[in-house]
Amino acid sequence: MMWLALWACGGAPEPTEPAAEFACVDRAITPSAEPFRLLWAGDTLIGDRATEHIKKSGFDWPLANLAPALAGADYRILNAEAPITNEETVFQPTRRWTYHTDPQVAEAFARWGFDAAGLSNNHAMDRGPKGLFETVALLKRAGVQPFGAGRNRSEALAPLIVKTTHGKIGVIALGQTWS
């Protein structure tokens, strides 16, 4: 999974302007302005080898030690490394590793304050379209905004727009075709 955060404001750099010197802001931000903290969690899979322990300790157990970091963020984004689905059928049986995780995981992500979940990764289709669409629906129902996948190209390519106290940030999820 690759992430790319972009300031979503008017204008674009001139072709001759070095990218490192380009700053895109809607308005001046004074040094005394309160920061807006984004938390980026990488590949997040609540299951797999921890499944038996999760059955005993609950779906919040894997995230409990992250409470201080999560509390300090204004917006939290994770990469959902496995489809969140009841679908058991492996979509591509020849793949070495395939995952899926219990539907209760979507609610656990929401309880722990995750606002969005990226789905553009090499495991998004581990349970096929049915598993992917169930993942999207469960995340939305829990209040976690999915991005980077969808029922059509337009949905899959739509950026996540994060509204901050300083303006908007657009986040896109990039991937490749995995087989």
Side-chain angles (χ1 to χ4, degrees), residues 1-2 91-92 95 119-126 148 153 156-157 173-179:
M1 170 103 186
M2 294 176 18
F91 187 61
Q92 295 175 315
R95 288 195 59 177
L119 301 177
S120 180
N121 65 60
N122 60 322
H123 290 290
M125 292 293 290
D126 281 1
R153 185 176 180 87
L157 295 175
L174 301 173
Q176 64 186 31
T177 301
W178 290 279
S179 54

Side-chain angles (χ1 to χ4, degrees), residues 19-123:
E21 295 177 20
F22 179 70
C24 179
V25 293
D26 289 318
R27 56 189 159 75
I29 299 173
T30 62
S32 63
E34 285 294 314
F36 186 88
R37 293 175 184 88
L38 286 171
L39 181 132
W40 300 83
D43 293 354
T44 306
L45 169 60
I46 298 180
D48 197 32
R49 289 189 161 198
T51 299
E52 291 306 313
H53 194 79
I54 291 167
K55 284 180 183 177
K56 292 180 216 167
S57 302
F59 288 93
D60 293 326
W61 166 77
L63 300 170
N65 289 329
L66 299 176
L70 294 170
D74 296 301
Y75 198 90
R76 297 154 202 88
I77 303 171
L78 61 84
N79 175 46
E81 183 64 0
I84 303 168
T85 180
N86 282 317
E87 180 61 43
E88 294 286 335
T89 305
V90 174
F91 187 61
Q92 295 175 315
T94 59
R95 288 195 59 177
R96 185 172 178 183
W97 290 288
T98 64
Y99 303 114
H100 77 290
T101 190
D102 191 284
Q104 293 179 67
V105 167
E107 295 166 9
F109 288 162
R111 277 194 304 277
W112 283 93
F114 284 100
D115 300 289
L119 301 177
S120 180
N121 65 60
N122 60 322
H123 290 290

Side-chain angles (χ1 to χ4, degrees), residues 113-177:
F114 284 100
D115 300 289
L119 301 177
S120 180
N121 65 60
N122 60 322
H123 290 290
M125 292 293 290
D126 281 1
R127 295 301 183 264
K130 182 177 178 183
L132 177 63
F133 301 151
E134 184 178 359
T135 300
V136 169
L138 288 165
L139 288 167
K140 285 182 178 180
R141 191 174 313 134
V144 178
Q145 181 61 48
F147 69 103
R151 291 190 175 273
N152 55 50
R153 185 176 180 87
S154 179
E155 284 180 16
L157 295 175
L160 170 69
I161 303 297
V162 180
K163 295 178 182 176
T164 78
T165 53
H166 305 292
K168 297 176 185 176
I169 299 173
V171 181
I172 58 175
L174 301 173
Q176 64 186 31
T177 301

